[in-house]
Amino acid sequence: MKYNIFKRLLLGATVVAAMTGCDENSWNKDYLDGFEEPSISDVRTVELSVPAADYAKIAKLKANIAIAQELDAQNGGGDTYIKALAAVANGYFSELAPASKYAPAYLDSLQTANASGLIGLSNSSYLKLTYQTSANAPAQVAGMCASQAYTVSEQDYINAWDSEEDYVEAFTPSKKATQFVPGILKKQYPSANNGDYVVVTYNEASQDPVFNSKPAEPFVKTNVLGDAENGDAIEVAGVITALGNQGFLVEDDGGAMAVYIGSSFNYTIYKVGDLVKFSATVSYRASNSYNQLLPSSDITVAGNEKVTYPAAKAYTSAELDALIAEMVTAGYIATPVYAAVSGTVAVSGNYYNLTLPGAETAQGSILWATNELKETLNGLNGQDVVLYGYIVSKSSTKFINILVTSVSKGTKANALSRSVEIAASEKEVVYTLTDGAWKVASDITLLTADDYAAMGVRDFNTTTINTYLPIYLKNKFPYAQADDVKYVAYKFYDASIKATVMNCSECTFNGSEWVFAPKTLETAQFALLNHKWIWDPSVTITLTAGRNLEPAKTFYQTCTNWVYENIDKPNYGSESITSGKGYVTTYGNNEYYSGTSAYQGNVDLRAASAIKNSPEGVYDGMTDDEIVALMKKRFEQEVCPGALSILYPDATPIAGLDLLYTINFATYTGSTTYYKIVYKVVDKGQFEFVSCTWND
């Protein structure tokens, strides 16, 4: 148990600062077949830092993906290592995705591209690579970085509605996304693993369509609306083809006309397709240049039928200018026109308008917008859309009033309109596979199109993410408490592949602002072997002198333990490390076989102290210089390599490369002096003395 603690302490203290490696002379030409001593001009040591934009490239290199897949296969399947590699795109390596495994392929790609000063490096060259590293990415971050994207297809909607005719390309209150998306994903991703994520894009409407429900009795439509004039009292039997919050559009066999009821109208009890009967008076509204019906009796619903809209007329800006001019001049619009009007949504207070690009006069105005339509338009404010609906009337001298039937994002109008249209908005939702079932990932915060629009960007890049994401989180979570953590998924422009991908970051609120997961700069050494880069895990350990300082305390205690086990117990019958029988003192934390002291963090080379604290007679007849020389030799040849074998049992030689462990340490002879000792790994966990500067 103590051994494991010592090992973790030592590694934890040395990993960040230890990877400084060895010089060009550490190559051993005897290990290389056909090795030829290169000219000195071919030998270089290059220093390089990984640019922020290149981490995404590292995560997508085919060679690295193959390594991660092999690691997953070796560890029982799953995709743990694939996800960890994908998380490198966030800008850092980790324990599960270390630079030692994934930087070589990156360096090979730079060498192939003759980039970053790697042109012409010989097989005796080294590279010191500086990079960002962090703790292993949380499951949410790793999963989202490796996530898939899926857009619900028309066939998926058909399957959800269980009809090839009576369906809409949207989920609705009666056909919720959560009912059908899990099954869609199960079919689409049969080999998915628990913890996998998918960003699902689908359409969602706040109301249900009604499909061709037959009336209980034959319903005969009137044929009066085409000829009705101001002041006529008529009986109307027709179908509702558009619905607003103050009235609706009714169509019979003769034509169509808007029915105005006013603020008392409860539109939620009616549906598009309702077959209605009522008495009404035709009333001309001069300020809006149109005839409207004012009901004089109750409106009764006799059934419902499927509504098929005519081909939508896609107006040009010039045609809309001409139309408003005609309405102003003639003071009349003959009949509502089913149209597709393209423009930019402009919401201001209770006004919902459409800015028409290229139009000199005309502007679009939404007539009788329902709460659901307002919600949709609020979400699309500032975006380009196509409004489908009936041009019914005008307001003042520039607004064309449209009773909307549906909204489409973008600028391209469809020539034909499908049967049964409802106002729907596009949504992106993250799903994750949990215990074999796809569920909405409630622990992921996903930025929406509206979020990017508010920031004035299409996606993030290495610059904008650091500026905008903390502000977004502060606005999104104004009541966050210190140490709150959010996993934020966002679209990120990957410059290395010139494409936008999905990334995810772990962010923590520190009490005043949101910060990214901490990263650490590390430097590791790589060597060029047979024109391929390999990791050179040569290690430098710095043991700073001082009482109870790590990592010196752990290292020298391991040395003391080695002397107790290998010298004192077999030779002097020591039963306890504090027994004082042998070279280890009664404190149990220092010894005078080689002079190591875990308490002082140094190697004590005072001959007088060695004589005083060692078994009687072991140093008889020796001068002080001879005692010191003997202790140095024991430290070089026995104690220090013995401690390294305990602390680094998995250190393994690399063919063609000298794997070196360099230790900077202090001695005490009345004053403190620092030296450097070097060992080469010659077998697994076996270290051979190379040199020590106290011999210079």
Side-chain angles (χ1 to χ4, degrees):
M1 192 67 178
K2 286 185 178 179
Y3 159 71
N4 289 332
I5 294 173
F6 291 155
K7 181 179 178 183
R8 287 198 298 271
L9 284 171
L10 189 59
L11 286 174
T14 60
V15 163
V16 172
M19 310 298 274
T20 58
C22 53
D23 61 25
E24 295 88 342
N25 295 324
S26 67
W27 283 94
N28 188 335
K29 62 184 179 182
D30 295 334
Y31 289 130
L32 303 177
D33 292 336
F35 181 89
E36 294 182 3
E37 190 76 35
S39 64
I40 194 67
S41 60
D42 293 329
V43 178
R44 305 183 205 172
T45 297
V46 178
E47 293 186 2
L48 183 67
S49 294
V50 179
D54 278 10
Y55 288 94
K57 176 182 179 181
I58 292 168
K60 293 177 177 62
L61 286 172
K62 290 181 179 179
N64 284 341
I65 292 172
I67 292 171
Q69 289 172 336
E70 179 63 23
L71 287 170
D72 278 324
Q74 292 173 359
N75 288 275
D79 53 8
T80 300
Y81 289 92
I82 280 290
K83 289 177 180 176
L85 173 61
V88 172
N90 272 334
Y92 57 85
F93 293 102
S94 65
E95 183 179 348
L96 285 175
S100 60
K101 289 189 181 296
Y102 298 119
Y106 166 66
L107 296 175
D108 287 344
S109 71
L110 296 182
Q111 182 111 355
T112 302
N114 289 332
S116 303
L118 303 186
I119 301 173
L121 290 181
S122 75
N123 267 339
S124 55
S125 296
Y126 281 87
L127 183 145
K128 293 180 180 179
L129 184 69
T130 300
Y131 52 85
Q132 297 269 17
T133 187
S134 183
N136 285 329
Q140 295 91 333
V141 173
M144 280 304 303
C145 288
S147 65
Q148 303 287 328
Y150 184 75
T151 300
V152 175
S153 68
E154 182 177 11
Q155 186 60 52
D156 292 329
Y157 292 117
I158 291 173
N159 295 340
W161 288 95
D162 196 24
S163 172
E164 293 187 355
E165 295 185 1
D166 292 343
Y167 74 94
V168 291
E169 292 185 40
F171 295 115
T172 68
S174 68
K175 301 286 185 180
K176 297 183 183 298
T178 50
Q179 292 176 261
F180 299 99
V181 170
I184 293 171
L185 295 179
K186 185 176 182 179
K187 181 179 179 181
Q188 188 69 24
Y189 303 101
S191 300
N193 298 299
N194 282 326
D196 284 357
Y197 287 82
V198 177
V199 180
V200 184
T201 302
Y202 57 82
N203 299 322
E204 184 175 75
S206 57
Q207 66 183 55
D208 282 302
V210 180
F211 303 108
N212 200 26
S213 299
K214 299 297 182 182
E217 298 178 0
F219 184 85
V220 179
K221 296 178 184 177
T222 55
N223 191 352
V224 297
L225 295 180
D227 300 321
E229 297 181 354
N230 183 32
D232 288 351
I234 58 177
E235 298 293 323
V236 179
V239 59
I240 295 176
T241 56
L243 195 60
N245 70 345
Q246 296 193 53
F248 55 86
L249 194 79
V250 64
E251 182 180 327
D252 73 356
D253 287 342
M257 195 173 292
V259 179
Y260 175 74
I261 298 170
S263 59
S264 63
F265 180 55
N266 182 5
Y267 67 89
T268 63
I269 66 175
Y270 297 94
K271 305 180 188 68
V272 170
D274 279 352
L275 299 170
V276 293
K277 292 182 179 181
F278 58 95
S279 301
T281 300
V282 179
S283 174
Y284 175 68
R285 188 175 178 87
S287 61
N288 297 106
S289 300
Y290 81 118
N291 278 331
Q292 61 184 4
L293 291 174
L294 303 178
S296 55
S297 69
D298 291 338
I299 299 170
T300 60
V301 179
N304 190 278
E305 71 175 21
K306 181 168 67 175
V307 172
T308 301
Y309 292 105
K313 174 174 174 50
Y315 279 90
T316 65
S317 297
E319 289 173 331
L320 291 170
D321 279 333
L323 178 60
I324 192 68
E326 177 186 345
M327 294 166 70
V328 170
T329 301
Y332 189 79
I333 181 170
T335 188
V337 178
Y338 191 69
V341 181
S342 300
T344 304
V345 177
V347 179
S348 177
N350 291 321
Y351 294 98
Y352 291 81
N353 297 322
L354 198 68
T355 302
L356 307 176
E360 295 182 0
T361 302
Q363 292 188 38
S365 177
I366 285 72
L367 179 66
W368 303 340
T370 64
N371 291 336
E372 293 78 13
L373 180 57
K374 288 178 181 179
E375 181 180 352
T376 297
L377 294 175
N378 283 329
L380 295 170
N381 190 26
Q383 298 187 44
D384 293 333
V385 300
V386 180
L387 296 184
Y388 293 93
Y390 290 91
I391 296 178
V392 174
S393 61
K394 72 170 182 64
S395 296
S396 70
T397 59
K398 62 180 181 180
F399 291 105
I400 296 172
N401 296 329
I402 307 166
L403 187 54
V404 175
T405 58
S406 67
V407 181
S408 174
K409 289 178 66 174
T411 59
K412 185 177 180 181
N414 296 318
L416 297 177
S417 175
R418 281 192 60 257
S419 63
V420 186
E421 293 192 38
I422 56 174
S425 59
E426 185 178 89
K427 288 187 175 294
E428 286 185 318
V429 178
V430 180
Y431 276 75
T432 185
L433 189 64
T434 304
D435 296 328
W438 288 99
K439 300 176 182 178
V440 173
S442 58
D443 53 353
I444 299 293
T445 298
L446 179 68
L447 270 72
T448 67
D450 293 338
D451 296 324
Y452 298 114
M455 299 175 196
V457 299
R458 296 175 57 184
D459 46 38
F460 286 147
N461 57 39
T462 53
T463 300
T464 55
I465 183 174
N466 295 316
T467 302
Y468 293 129
L469 192 53
I471 298 173
Y472 162 80
L473 288 170
K474 195 165 188 177
N475 293 332
K476 180 79 172 178
F477 304 105
Y479 304 109
Q481 301 297 307
D483 299 325
D484 282 357
V485 176
K486 298 294 179 184
Y487 304 106
V488 190
Y490 49 86
K491 293 177 180 177
F492 186 85
Y493 181 72
D494 182 351
S496 66
I497 60 173
K498 295 182 173 56
T500 298
V501 298
M502 183 62 66
N503 268 15
C504 185
S505 291
E506 176 188 11
C507 298
T508 302
F509 189 63
N510 65 10
S512 59
E513 60 184 354
W514 288 92
V515 296
F516 295 94
K519 301 173 186 177
T520 302
L521 272 181
E522 289 188 6
T523 298
Q525 184 162 272
F526 295 82
L528 195 60
L529 180 64
N530 295 328
H531 305 291
K532 289 286 186 180
W533 289 101
I534 63 171
W535 177 53
D536 175 10
S538 296
V539 173
T540 294
I541 305 166
T542 297
L543 306 177
T544 303
R547 291 184 178 181
N548 295 315
L549 294 181
E550 293 293 357
K553 179 181 177 181
T554 295
F555 190 90
Y556 290 128
Q557 185 62 57
T558 306
C559 291
T560 301
N561 294 347
W562 185 93
V563 171
Y564 168 69
E565 292 289 343
N566 294 275
I567 305 299
D568 288 3
K569 284 176 69 174
N571 295 310
Y572 298 99
S574 182
E575 307 92 359
S576 166
I577 198 169
T578 57
S579 67
K581 294 181 179 180
Y583 291 93
V584 179
T585 71
T586 55
Y587 294 106
N589 59 11
N590 67 321
E591 52 80 22
Y592 282 93
Y593 184 72
S594 67
T596 61
S597 173
Y599 181 63
Q600 298 291 352
N602 61 23
V603 178
D604 186 351
L605 294 180
R606 293 176 297 170
S609 295
I611 294 170
K612 179 180 177 181
N613 294 282
S614 298
E616 186 176 354
V618 296
Y619 292 126
D620 286 353
M622 299 177 66
T623 66
D624 286 355
D625 288 344
E626 288 172 338
I627 293 172
V628 171
L630 178 59
M631 293 174 70
K632 286 182 175 180
K633 183 176 181 181
R634 288 169 173 171
F635 182 77
E636 292 174 350
Q637 303 292 336
E638 300 177 67
V639 179
C640 191
L644 288 172
S645 294
I646 294 171
L647 293 167
Y648 299 97
D650 296 324
T652 305
I654 299 174
L657 182 69
D658 282 347
L659 175 53
L660 302 180
Y661 277 59
T662 301
I663 305 170
N664 297 309
F665 69 103
T667 64
Y668 183 71
T669 58
S671 61
T672 298
T673 306
Y674 277 90
Y675 295 100
K676 178 170 70 176
I677 191 167
V678 180
Y679 291 89
K680 180 170 68 175
V681 180
V682 292
D683 204 344
K684 185 174 182 180
Q686 299 298 311
F687 297 81
E688 180 182 277
F689 173 70
V690 175
S691 65
C692 184
T693 53
W694 63 22
N695 295 321
D696 292 347

